[in-house]
Amino acid sequence: MFMPQLMKKAETGEKLAALTCYDASYARILLRAGVDILLVGDSLGMTIQGHDTTLPVTLDQMVYHTTAVRRGAGNAFIMADLPFGSYQQGPGQAFASAAQLLAAGANMVKLEGGAVMVETVEFLIRRGIPVCAHLGLLPQSVNRTGYRAQARDDKAALQLIEDAANLEQAGAELLVLESIPALLAAEVTNSLSIPTIGIGAGLHCDGQVLVLNDILGLTEKPPRFARNFMLGATAIEDAARRYVAAVKAGEFPAAEHAF
Ligand code: KIV
């Protein structure tokens, strides 16, 4: 699936259900369950590798996992994270890294950051690389912010709204909003024409994403915005199916998952 088909789905008003995915077996299961977007997230640094942060993940590792996911995913839509240190030096470095992820099978790359990423987003888009921007809590900036909800005061909220508009203007085609107040996420979603995908950002985004290990109850201390969909499920595929159904029906996230 390419960008236009994904956009068509979003235009129908159907909520997009995304999950992280790190290998071929899970890719097959998640697709059978109806997941719209497989995100090869750099969260694999924590879920697969056991680190405390995403920072040690390398581009080679992201390429390896993207290749594996593509083998299980047929022609499904895959988004892959540009890992820390593989794009922050500027557009040229970002292009070289993104090209490796696309060659490995990604349809789109995701990068973290606001104003500082606008030039890079425009550079990639003009060269044929679909980009998902990521605002709010930026796990690659954990040393500056910790793992705390973001944009909770007026100044930071206004900055986020401005960043979102500028990233859309630069050509970003999706926007992940992580750990921000639900009201702010709703405002950003209404102000943009590209779809927003929330994680800890309330119900009013155009789609949701969660870390696979969190919905499967594999995380020792899951974030407050996640739900364990294995509870009451018969199998992993059933849990993923319940997640997809809850997202599409607007039943997840609930009020207790929002900031
Ligand atoms: O790597 C990841 O899992 C992510 C999600 C938090 C959106 O980027």
Side-chain angles (χ1 to χ4, degrees), residues 210-245:
L210 281 179
V211 169
L212 178 62
N213 294 46
D214 293 346
I215 75 151
L216 298 182
L218 297 174
T219 309
E220 209 172 317
K221 285 188 197 146
R224 152 174 161 208
F225 53 72
R227 180 190 287 171
N228 179 356
F229 284 86
M230 274 309 278
L231 295 173
T234 53
I236 290 170
E237 185 175 328
D238 184 35
R241 206 177 285 285
R242 285 165 184 242
Y243 164 72
V244 171

Side-chain angles (χ1 to χ4, degrees), residues 20 22 39 41-43 81 110 112 134 139 176 178 199 209 211:
T20 65
Y22 314 111
L39 168 62
D42 59 357
S43 51
D81 271 334
K110 178 163 78 60
E112 299 181 10
H134 183 151
V176 164
E178 178 165 356
I199 172 164
V209 61
V211 169

Side-chain angles (χ1 to χ4, degrees), residues 89-153:
Q89 281 175 26
Q93 188 204 22
F95 180 83
S97 301
Q100 288 196 47
L101 292 175
L102 261 59
N107 299 108
M108 172 176 238
V109 298
K110 178 163 78 60
L111 51 74
E112 299 181 10
V116 72
M117 283 300 144
V118 166
E119 188 191 350
T120 295
V121 169
E122 189 168 4
F123 190 91
L124 295 181
I125 294 284
R126 282 172 173 264
R127 284 155 184 80
I129 299 182
V131 179
C132 174
H134 183 151
L135 293 175
L137 174 61
L138 308 179
Q140 294 176 8
S141 298
V142 62
N143 281 303
R144 290 196 56 237
T145 62
Y147 289 114
R148 278 190 318 204
Q150 298 295 304
R152 297 186 94 165
D153 61 53

